[in-house]
Amino acid sequence: MGTILKVDKVTMQFGGLRALGDVDFEIQEGEIFGLIGPNGAGKTTMFNCVTGVYNPTAGSVTFDGVAITGKRPDQIVEIGICRTFQQIRLFPNMTALENVFVGVDARHKTQILGAIFRSPRHRREEREGEAKAMKLLEYVGLTRFANDLAKNLSYGDQRRLEIARALGTGPKLLLLDEPAAGMNPVEKNGLRDLVRKIRDSGVTVLLIEHDMKVVMGLSDRVAVLDHGERIAYGKPEEVQKDPKVIEAYLGSGAGGNAASKQSKQEGA
Amino acid sequence: MAAVLKNPGIKRFSDNVAKFWFAMGPFRYLVAAGLMILVPVIMERGYLPEWTLLGYLDGLYGTNILFTTGVWILLALGLNVVVGMAGLLDLGYVAFLMLGAYTTALFTESGSAEQFHFAILNPWLALPIALVVAMLAGVLLGVPTLRLRGDYLAIVTLGFHEIVRQTMNNLEVTNGSRGIFGIPHPSVPVTGELGLDGTPYWQWLLVPAIILAVIMIKHLENSRVGRYWTALREDEVAAAAMGVPVTKMKVLAFVIGASTSGVAGWIYAVKLNYISPNNFPLLQSILVLCAVVIGGLGSIAGAVLGAALVIMLPEIVREASGGAEVFGFDIETGRIAVFGVLLIIVMIFRPGGLLAAKRRRVELMEAGAADMVISEAGPDPDETAAPVGQEPVVTEGDDVRAPSEGGEER
Ligand SMILES: Nc1ncnc2c1ncn2[C@@H]1O[C@H](COP(=O)(O)OP(=O)(O)O)[C@@H](O)[C@H]1O
Ligand SMILES: [Mg+2]
C-alpha cells in the first residue's frame, strides 16, 4: 500500500484569482479519499489540474511515481487516472453502450489502417470492447438502458453512466466530482454502495462531495479546501471537529446542517 | 403556403425513400454499382424520358455532367467525414481538390515546352502522388488550426481555400492565371486512352473510387476511430478526459477527408486536360458543404445524394426552363438560387438532411419526445434534480473553462 497520488504545492492562478494555493495531499492506494470544501473552494480546479485540463501555475502532481503535470488529458488517462464531471458531460447522442465503449477504447490499439482493413485485432477489440462495455453497464446497474441515448437517461442514471464510462478506461485512480449532486436519498444510498464496490475492486477513489453525510460515511481520509487553501487533512471524524472546517462551512458559526446549506447554495 | 410546407405527405414520402434504401441491406451496394455502370450509357443514348428529369441530360453533355457529379460525390464523401462525422466545420474543402489537380499537372507531361514539372510520369503514377499531397495538406492545415473551435476554424479553412487558389494564381511554376493545359489522359487495358468523353471516366475511375471511399468510410465509422470522432463532435472536453487524443483525431479526420478529394483532383485533371485557378472559385467549397447538409450531415448515402442534386439539379433546371424567365430573371442564370430554395425546404422538412444519419435521425425524434416528458413531469423528488429527459447541463462551463479568458466558446 503505497502512495498512488502525490499533490505537491499545487497552485493555480486565474489572473488575479488564486483558485489553489500551495495545496498538498497524498492519496494511498486502495483508499477512498474525500476532497471537500464550500462552493468555489477550488475542488474542481484541483481535478482539472490532476487530469491535465489545466496546467498548474506551480507545484507538481505525481502518480505512481511518475510526474504527470503538463501531460495531456489523454496521456493521463493512459497512465491510469480517469474522472467524471460535476456538470454531467456524457456524449448525449450516443447510446449508453457507446458512451462506455468510448471509455473502453482507451485501452484499445486499433489505428486508422486497422479500422479501414478490419484487421483481426480490430475485430477482436470490437467484440471484446462491446462485451466489456456491457459488463460495466451491468456493474452500475444500467443494462436495460444499453441502447438508449445517454441524454434520455434520468439524472441519477446519467451520473452512473459517467462512472461506468470512466471505469471503462481501466483507471487505477478514479476521480468523482460530486457524483451525488442532484440525486434523491435512494439514489445516494445506491451511489455509496457503488463507490465502495469500486474501491473493493481495487480502484483508488478520489471523491469530491458536498453532502457531508455521504463524504464522511465513505471516505477513509479527507482534505478540506477553502478559498484554495488546504485547511484540514486527516480522518473524517477529526476533520469534522476542526474549528476551521466548521467555520468554513458555516460561515460565522451560525447553526444549521452544513450539508443542507451547501445543497441549497448549489441549486444544480 | 405554410400549410403546404407542413404537408406530412412530403415528409412521409422522403422518409419512405430512405427506409426503402436502407431496407435493401448490403444489396443496396450492388444496386448502386449496377446503376453507376449503366446510368451513363442510358443517359447518353437518351433512353430516359424527360419526366425522369435525368432525361434532360442526354448525349455527351449528359455524360460530362455525370462525370462532374462523380467528382462531387467523392468530394462530398470526404467533406462528410470532416464536418458530419468529426464535427469540424471546413469551408475551404475544395483546396484539397485543387492541390490534387495541380499535383497531377506538375507530375505529368503537361503544358508548353517551358512548363515546370517536378517529374514527368505516367498519369497513373501521378495518382498516388496527388493522394499523398492532398493528405499532407490535410496535416499541414490541421496541425496549426485544430485548436480553434467552431467559427474560427471555419474562417481559417475558408482562408485556406483562397490561399491555395491565390498561390496557384500567382506562382510562375503553375503558369499563374493562365492555368496548365495538355494534362495527359490515362490509358486502360483494351480500350486504350480514356479520351474526353465522361463515360469511361465514370466507369473506370469514378465508380471504383466512390465504392472504395464508401467502404473505407463505413469501416471507419464502425470502429474506434469513428466512435472517437463522434465523441469529439459531441463533447470535446469529455472526449479528451476519456482518453481521446483530440488533436490527432482531428488531424486524421482532415487527412481522411482530404484523401477522397486528392483522388478527385487527379481524376478531374486527367479528364479535363486543363486546369486553372478559375476552375476552383470559393463558391465550390460552399456548394460541397451544401451537398453534405442537404444529404444529411454524417450520412454516407446522404453525401452521395446531396452531391448528385447539387450538380445535376441546376443543369436540369437549365435544360427544362428553355430560357424562360421568372420575375424578369432568366432561370438559367439564377439556377444557383435553386439551392437556396432547396436548402431551406430541406431544412424545414428534414433538418437532419434528406437521408439523415441514423444517429441524427434519432436525435431529432427524441427532441420531440423530450418536450412531452418535461411537460408531464411532476414535482421533483429532490430540489436539485433536473427533470427527466431534460438536459441536466443547465449552466455551461462551470466545470472546465479556459483559464481566465472569457473569449472561448465553452
Ligand atoms: N477557468 C477559470 N477561469 C477563471 N476562474 C476560474 C476558472 N475555473 C475556476 N475558476 C474559479 O476558481 C474558483 C474555484 O472554482 P472551483 O474549482 O470550480 O470550485 P469548487 O469546485 O470547489 O466549487 C472559483 O472562484 C472559480 O470561479
Ligand atoms: Mg466544483
Side-chain angles (χ1 to χ4, degrees):
Chain A
M1 284 283 223
T3 300
I4 191 163
L5 187 83
K6 184 165 187 248
V7 172
D8 190 16
K9 293 210 169 52
V10 166
T11 299
M12 186 75 219
Q13 193 88 31
F14 294 117
L17 177 79
R18 198 178 176 83
L20 292 172
D22 286 335
V23 177
D24 285 324
F25 59 86
E26 281 182 21
I27 300 178
Q28 303 301 315
E29 209 172 331
E31 73 176 341
I32 296 176
F33 189 93
L35 187 60
I36 62 177
N39 252 335
K43 306 180 296 296
T44 300
T45 304
M46 177 54 79
F47 266 33
N48 288 334
C49 287
V50 173
T51 55
V53 177
Y54 297 156
N55 202 353
T57 318
S60 70
V61 182
T62 315
F63 178 74
D64 246 357
V66 185
I68 58 169
T69 17
K71 287 203 191 299
R72 289 195 315 263
D74 58 290
Q75 294 173 318
I76 289 173
V77 170
E78 198 178 336
I79 293 171
I81 303 179
C82 201
R83 69 175 294 177
T84 65
F85 292 89
Q86 181 176 355
Q87 309 282 336
I88 294 173
R89 295 191 91 129
L90 288 162
F91 308 121
N93 297 303
M94 293 174 96
T95 64
L97 184 70
E98 287 172 320
N99 266 274
V100 184
F101 212 150
V102 170
V104 173
D105 273 327
R107 296 287 161 211
H108 287 168
K109 298 274 183 296
T110 298
Q111 295 299 327
I112 196 123
L113 289 178
I116 292 174
F117 295 106
R118 315 236 114 182
S119 68
R121 180 166 69 189
H122 159 83
R123 282 184 246 181
R124 177 170 44 78
E125 285 181 351
E126 288 295 303
R127 215 171 39 237
E128 292 173 1
E130 184 171 340
K132 189 171 172 202
M134 274 315 286
K135 246 211 195 98
L136 281 164
L137 283 178
E138 193 188 326
Y139 188 77
V140 300
L142 294 176
T143 310
R144 70 207 148 106
F145 300 121
N147 294 318
D148 288 357
L149 295 187
K151 66 176 177 194
N152 294 338
L153 266 52
S154 77
Y155 195 65
D157 288 342
Q158 290 193 8
R159 289 223 173 264
R160 283 172 170 270
L161 182 56
E162 261 212 345
I163 294 174
R165 184 180 67 172
L167 285 174
T169 68
K172 288 185 218 150
L173 173 65
L174 178 66
L175 274 54
L176 302 174
D177 197 343
E178 303 202 23
M183 283 189 170
N184 63 38
V186 178
E187 289 174 322
K188 275 183 189 170
N189 275 334
L191 179 85
R192 240 188 312 238
D193 294 342
L194 178 61
V195 173
R196 284 206 190 92
K197 191 163 81 169
I198 291 169
R199 191 260 318 267
D200 294 344
S201 75
V203 178
T204 310
V205 178
L206 169 53
L207 176 76
I208 291 180
E209 193 44 74
H210 257 126
D211 189 324
M212 292 297 254
K213 276 212 300 265
V214 173
V215 78
M216 290 307 180
L218 264 177
S219 312
D220 298 307
R221 290 185 314 130
V222 298
V224 187
L225 290 181
D226 187 27
H227 295 299
E229 307 284 335
R230 196 201 74 194
I231 56 170
Y233 181 42
K235 293 236 178 299
E237 315 83 65
E238 299 159 14
V239 164
Q240 218 164 0
K241 286 184 218 125
D242 192 315
K244 273 194 287 193
V245 176
I246 296 169
E247 167 77 22
Y249 263 86
L250 302 181
S252 53
N257 173 315
S260 75
K261 183 192 167 198
Q262 280 307 321
S263 68
K264 278 204 191 88
Q265 271 184 6
E266 194 187 358
Chain B
M1 183 68 184
V4 177
L5 287 179
K6 288 265 185 282
N7 182 353
I10 296 174
K11 186 167 159 26
R12 211 175 316 127
F13 174 74
S14 53
D15 270 332
N16 283 339
V17 170
K19 215 182 287 165
F20 178 72
W21 176 250
F22 288 109
M24 285 192 287
F27 191 61
R28 67 182 193 266
Y29 296 116
L30 217 67
V31 172
L35 281 176
M36 288 201 278
I37 299 289
L38 288 178
V39 156
V41 180
I42 295 168
M43 277 171 69
E44 188 171 7
R45 306 276 154 87
Y47 289 156
L48 292 172
E50 286 189 347
W51 63 262
T52 60
L53 296 183
L54 284 183
Y56 285 106
L57 309 174
D58 57 359
L60 204 60
Y61 164 75
T63 53
N64 281 334
I65 288 170
L66 193 64
F67 169 82
T68 314
T69 306
V71 169
W72 275 63
I73 288 175
L74 280 177
L75 294 179
L77 283 171
L79 185 61
N80 183 47
V81 171
V82 180
V83 185
M85 291 165 75
L88 305 165
L89 187 50
D90 182 349
L91 291 183
Y93 181 70
V94 165
F96 300 116
L97 176 76
M98 243 185 293
L99 288 167
Y102 268 96
T103 305
T104 306
L106 296 181
F107 278 90
T108 54
E109 191 170 3
S110 62
S112 62
E114 297 89 61
Q115 174 61 45
F116 165 87
H117 293 100
F118 288 108
I120 295 184
L121 304 172
N122 180 296
W124 284 106
L125 289 178
L127 171 58
I129 302 176
L131 175 66
V132 168
V133 167
M135 290 168 85
L136 281 179
V139 177
L140 228 67
L141 173 64
V143 169
T145 57
L146 287 174
R147 278 168 219 292
L148 306 171
R149 281 178 216 261
D151 4 3
Y152 297 100
L153 180 66
I155 289 167
V156 172
T157 52
L158 196 105
F160 182 62
H161 180 123
E162 267 314 285
I163 288 169
V164 173
R165 204 176 79 86
Q166 290 304 334
T167 307
M168 300 308 158
N169 205 11
N170 291 305
L171 282 184
E172 195 74 27
V173 295
T174 57
N175 211 19
S177 60
R178 280 155 298 164
I180 303 175
F181 62 89
I183 302 163
H185 299 302
S187 296
V188 292
V190 188
T191 47
E193 207 181 273
L194 291 182
L196 269 170
D197 180 12
T199 307
Y201 289 92
W202 170 264
Q203 291 169 338
W204 280 95
L205 303 176
L206 288 168
V207 172
I210 291 169
I211 291 176
L212 283 180
V214 168
I215 292 173
M216 170 180 82
I217 296 167
K218 273 265 169 216
H219 284 187
L220 286 175
E221 193 180 29
N222 300 314
S223 76
R224 178 176 184 237
V225 176
R227 273 189 300 277
Y228 274 11
W229 280 337
T230 312
L232 271 181
R233 192 184 71 206
E234 293 272 294
D235 188 332
E236 193 175 318
V237 173
M242 293 308 122
V244 177
V246 174
T247 310
K248 181 178 155 195
M249 293 315 296
K250 285 183 174 179
V251 172
L252 266 182
F254 264 31
V255 170
I256 292 296
S259 69
T260 67
S261 50
V263 172
W266 176 80
I267 297 176
Y268 185 87
V270 295
K271 150 81 164 71
L272 293 185
N273 272 169
Y274 169 75
I275 52 170
S276 87
N278 298 329
N279 298 13
F280 307 98
L282 191 56
L283 182 67
Q284 286 191 345
S285 281
I286 310 297
L287 273 181
V288 189
L289 188 62
C290 268
V292 174
V293 173
I294 288 176
L297 275 172
S299 154
I300 294 170
V304 174
L305 179 68
L309 281 178
V310 163
I311 296 304
M312 289 182 160
L313 205 62
E315 300 301 332
I316 292 168
V317 170
R318 188 225 300 265
E319 289 297 298
S321 72
E325 293 188 358
V326 176
F327 303 129
F329 295 100
D330 72 301
I331 293 175
E332 190 175 332
T333 40
R335 65 193 196 277
I336 287 298
V338 170
F339 283 105
V341 176
L342 182 67
L343 202 57
I344 291 169
I345 292 176
V346 168
M347 290 299 108
I348 289 172
F349 288 114
R350 297 186 64 87
L354 289 174
L355 296 173
K358 212 191 312 164
R359 188 179 310 287
R360 307 237 173 192
R361 216 159 41 219
V362 178
E363 194 176 318
L364 295 164
M365 273 154 41
E366 303 290 347
D371 289 344
M372 284 160 49
V373 175
I374 289 170
S375 57
E376 285 164 14
D380 269 284
D382 185 311
E383 56 173 347
T384 51
V388 177
Q390 187 189 318
E391 291 258 358
V393 182
V394 181
T395 44
E396 275 221 277
D398 189 38
D399 249 5
V400 176
R401 273 183 269 163
S404 56
E405 283 173 6
E408 206 169 6
E409 191 178 279
R410 280 182 197 279

